[in-house]
C-alpha cells in the first residue's frame, strides 16, 4: 500500500463534513502523483538549509501530507526562526511534523456519535466498536500501528491539543483506536488498519505460533511487550494532563482497561507453583527464525521466573527483541507510574472509588517491587537498576536504546534525575565498561542494542541522554552527534559508529518525534543552547 493510494481519505477527512465531491476528486488526482515517502525520504530535496551541512527540506508537498495542524505550523515557525544553527533548524522543520505529514493513515472525527463532556463522569452508553473519533497511525515504512510507537509519535503534539481542535480529535481518536486493539488482542504489539478505514491489511512473511491465537486481519505482529500496554495508558493520561479532558473514558476504554488488568494479573504469575510444579503461561510465542532475539526459548515460554517479586513479566522489549529474564525493569517502572496516573484521571472524572483505589494500590506495589527487586549492587558502580531480573537472583546489566529504557526512567516520571541510584545506573550504561551495548566508533557513539547489531548506535539514545542531563556540554554533544549524522534531514533508526553514511531507516517517525521533543525541552529549559545567549524560554 503506497502513500499515494492511502492518503486521499486522510485529507478528505481533515476537511470535515463540508468537503465537496469536487474537492475530493481534485485531491485524488493530485494524490496519484504523490511519491512513496519511503523512497522520497531516501533522497535529498530543496530548498536546502544555509548551514554548513546543507540539509534538505524533506517534508512532502502539502497535497501529500496526511494531516495538518495550524498550531504545529506555528510552532515550526516560532522555533526555527530563533534557532541559531540553520542545519539544526532545518532538522526540526522536517522532524516535528513528520508524524502528521507521513503516518496518519486514517482519521475520522466521529461526527454524529454520542460523546461526553470532558467534565462528565458518565461513560458513553454505546458499547460497540469504532465509536467516536478514530485514528490509525503507522510507524513509518511499515503500514502497521505499534501501540508504543504511535503513543510516542503523538506525544509532542499533546501540549497543542487544547488549542487545536483538529489535534484534539486526532489524539482522542488514537486513544479510541488503541482501546479497540487492546480489547481484541491485548498480548499483541502491532496492528492492522481498522476495518472502517477501508485500508487493506498488510501481509506478514513471518511464521509464528502464538497463544492466545490472533486474527491476522487485525494483528500485524503479536509480541507481548508490557510497555505496549503502559503506552496505551500513557496516551490517555498525557491527553488528560494537557487538555483536562476525560472524554476518552468510554465504555470501550474501560473494557480495554479491564482487559489490560487481566493480562497484568496473568503475567505476574511464577513459572512454578508452591508445589514446584510447572504452571503453563497464558502467553507463548515461537517464530521460525535464525535470530535468537526473535523468538522465545523453551517452546515459546521463555526462561523461568520466580514468584513473590510483585513484578510483571514482559516477553519482549520495546525493540521487539525477546527478553532474557522476563522481569524487564523499565516497562515495570513505566506501568507503575501509568497505573497511578490512570487512577488520577478516573478520580478527576468522578469514576468509581474502588477502581481508583485498586489502580493506585497496583501502581504503588509495582513501584515498590521495582525498587526491591530491580536494584542490585555493582562492584564498580554501587547500587544500580538492573535491566532484567528473574526473581532467582539472576540479573542482566545493560541498556537498550528504545524507550522505555533505564536511561529514560526520569522521563517516565519514575525517578528524579538527581536520584543517586539512577545516576549510578546512568554512569554505568553510558560507559563501554558498564554497558555492552554502549558503542563507540570513529564517527558516532551511543547506546545500541541487539536488534540491529554490534556496530550501530541509535540517535534516540543520544536524545534521551540529552533530555536527562543538566550538563550544557553533554546536551550540546548529544545534539550535535544527532545533527551531524542526519544528513538526509531526518533522524534515522541507527547509525554505524564508524561511518555515518551507513544507517537503518531513512524514515523512522518515532526517532523524529523524540528529536523534536528534545529540541522543545531545551527551548523551554535551556533556550540559550539553541537560541543564543540571553534567549527567553519558548514553552508550548
Amino acid at each position: 500500500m503506497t502513500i499515494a493510494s492511502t492518503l486521499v481519505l486522510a485529507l478528505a477527512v481533515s476537511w470535515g463534513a463540508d468537503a465537496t465531491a469536487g474537492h475530493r476528486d481534485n485531491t485524488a488526482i493530485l494524490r496519484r502523483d504523490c511519491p512513496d515517502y519511503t523512497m522520497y525520504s531516501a533522497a535529498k530535496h530543496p530548498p536546502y538549509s544555509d548551514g554548513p551541512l546543507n540539509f534538505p527540506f524533506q517534508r512532502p508537498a502539502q497535497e501529500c501530507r496526511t494531516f495538518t495542524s495550524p498550531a504545529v505550523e506555528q510552532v515550526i515557525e516560532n522555533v526555527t526562526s530563533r534557532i541559531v544553527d540553520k542545519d539544526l533548524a532545518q532538522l526540526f522543520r522536517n522532524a516535528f511534523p513528520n508524524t502528521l505529514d507521513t503516518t496518519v493513515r486514517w482519521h475520522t472525527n466521529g461526527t454524529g456519535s454520542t460523546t461526553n463532556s470532558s467534565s462528565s463522569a458518565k461513560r458513553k452508553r454505546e458499547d460497540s466498536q469504532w465509536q467516536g473519533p478514530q485514528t490509525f497511525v503507522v510507524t513509518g515504512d511499515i503500514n502497521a500501528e505499534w501501540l508504543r510507537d504511535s503513543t510516542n509519535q503523538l506525544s509532542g503534539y499533546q501540549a497543542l491539543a487544547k488549542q487545536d481542535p483538529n489535534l484534539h480529535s486526532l489524539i482522542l481518536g488514537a486513544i479510541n483506536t488503541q482501546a479497540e486493539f487492546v480489547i481484541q488482542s491485548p498480548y499483541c504489539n502491532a496492528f492492522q488498519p481498522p476495518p472502517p478505514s477501508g485500508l487493506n491489511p498488510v501481509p506478514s512473511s513471518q511464521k509464528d505460533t502464538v497463544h492466545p491465537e490472533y486474527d491476522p486481519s487485525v494483528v500485524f505482529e503479536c509480541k507481548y511487550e508490557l510497555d505496549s500496554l503502559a503506552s496505551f495508558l500513557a496516551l490517555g493520561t498525557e491527553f488528560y494532563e494537557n487538555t483536562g479532558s476525560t472524554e476518552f473514558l468510554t465504555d470501550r476504554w474501560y473494557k480495554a482497561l479491564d482487559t489490560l488488568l487481566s493480562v497484568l494479573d496473568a503475567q505476574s504469575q511464577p513459572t512454578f507453583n508452591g508445589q514446584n510444579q510447572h504452571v503453563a503461561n497464558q502467553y507463548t510465542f515461537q517464530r521460525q527464525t535464525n535470530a535468537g532475539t526473535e523468538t522465545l526459548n523453551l517452546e515459546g515460554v521463555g526462561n523461568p521466573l520466580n514468584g513473590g517479586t510483585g513484578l510483571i513479566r514482559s516477553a519482549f522489549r520495546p525493540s521487539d527483541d525477546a527478553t532474557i529474564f522476563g522481569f524487564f525493569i523499565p516497562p515495570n517502572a513505566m506501568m507503575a507510574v501509568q497505573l497511578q496516573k490512570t487512577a488520577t484521571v478516573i478520580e478527576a472524572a468522578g469514576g468509581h472509588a474502588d477502581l481508583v483505589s485498586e489502580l493506585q494500590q497496583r501502581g504503588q506495589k509495582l513501584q515498590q517491587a521495582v525498587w526491591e527487586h530491580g536494584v542490585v549492587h555493582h562492584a564498580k558502580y554501587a547500587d544500580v537498576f538492573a535491566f532484567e531480573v528473574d526473581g532467582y537472583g539472576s540479573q542482566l546489566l545493560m541498556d537498550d536504546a528504545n524507550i522505555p529504557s533505564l536511561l529514560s526512567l526520569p522521563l517516565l516520571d519514575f525517578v528524579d534525575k538527581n536520584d543517586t541510584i539512577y545516576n549510578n545506573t546512568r554512569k554505568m550504561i553510558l560507559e563501554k565498561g558498564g554497558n555492552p551495548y554502549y558503542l563507540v566508533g570513529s564517527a558516532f557513539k551511543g547506546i545500541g542494542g541487539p536488534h540491529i547489531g554490534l556496530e550501530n548506535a541509535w540517535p534516540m539514545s543520544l536524545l534521551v541522554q540529552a533530555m536527562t542531563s543538566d550538563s550544557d556540554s553533554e546536551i550540546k554533544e548529544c545534539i550535535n552527534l544527532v545533527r551531524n549524522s542526519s544528513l538526509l534531514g531526518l533522524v534515522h533508526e541507527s547509525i554505524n559508529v564508524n561511518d555515518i553514511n551507513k544507517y537503518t531507516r531513512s524514515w523512522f517517525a518515532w526517532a523524529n518525534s523524540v528529536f523534536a521533543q528534545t529540541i522543545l525541552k531545551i527551548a523551554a529549559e535551556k533556550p540559550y543552547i539553541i537560541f543564543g545567549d540571553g534567549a527567553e524560554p519558548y514553552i508550548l
Side-chain angles (χ1 to χ4, degrees), residues 92-137:
F92 182 84
R93 183 178 289 111
N94 294 331
F96 184 47
N98 190 248
T99 286
L100 299 185
D101 281 354
T102 64
T103 68
V104 182
R105 286 292 182 270
W106 174 64
H107 170 66
T108 175
N109 59 20
T111 301
S113 63
T114 304
T115 59
N116 286 328
S117 166
S118 62
S119 62
S120 173
K122 297 180 180 179
R123 305 181 190 178
K124 289 182 187 177
R125 295 183 180 275
E126 295 230 34
D127 191 30
S128 55
Q129 293 180 317
W130 315 115
Q131 296 297 308
Q134 301 288 334
T135 306
F136 182 66
V137 179

Side-chain angles (χ1 to χ4, degrees), residues 480-515:
N480 288 343
L481 281 167
V482 174
R483 177 201 62 193
N484 294 345
S485 63
S486 303
L487 298 181
L488 287 176
L490 293 166
V491 182
H492 302 305
E493 178 186 53
S494 73
I495 304 289
N496 186 291
V497 294
N498 295 308
D499 185 354
I500 60 173
N501 292 298
K502 296 179 180 179
Y503 59 85
T504 58
R505 303 178 83 171
S506 59
W507 175 34
F508 186 36
W510 182 11
N512 286 284
S513 296
V514 176
F515 171 79

Side-chain angles (χ1 to χ4, degrees), residues 262-273 279-282 304-313 327:
S262 295
V263 170
L264 300 191
D265 289 339
Q267 296 309 310
S268 299
Q269 302 305 311
T271 305
F272 302 98
N273 63 21
V279 179
N281 196 288
Q282 196 175 87
L305 298 173
N306 202 7
T309 65
L311 295 169
I312 303 168
R313 175 199 188 212
F327 291 145

Side-chain angles (χ1 to χ4, degrees), residues 440-460:
V440 180
S442 59
F444 193 70
K445 65 180 180 179
I447 299 173
H451 193 69
I452 300 298
L454 298 175
E455 293 185 296
N456 281 43
W458 292 50
M460 190 184 300

Side-chain angles (χ1 to χ4, degrees), residues 34-45:
C34 290
D36 185 305
Y37 193 76
T38 302
M39 297 177 59
Y40 187 87
S41 63
K44 298 180 179 181
H45 306 278

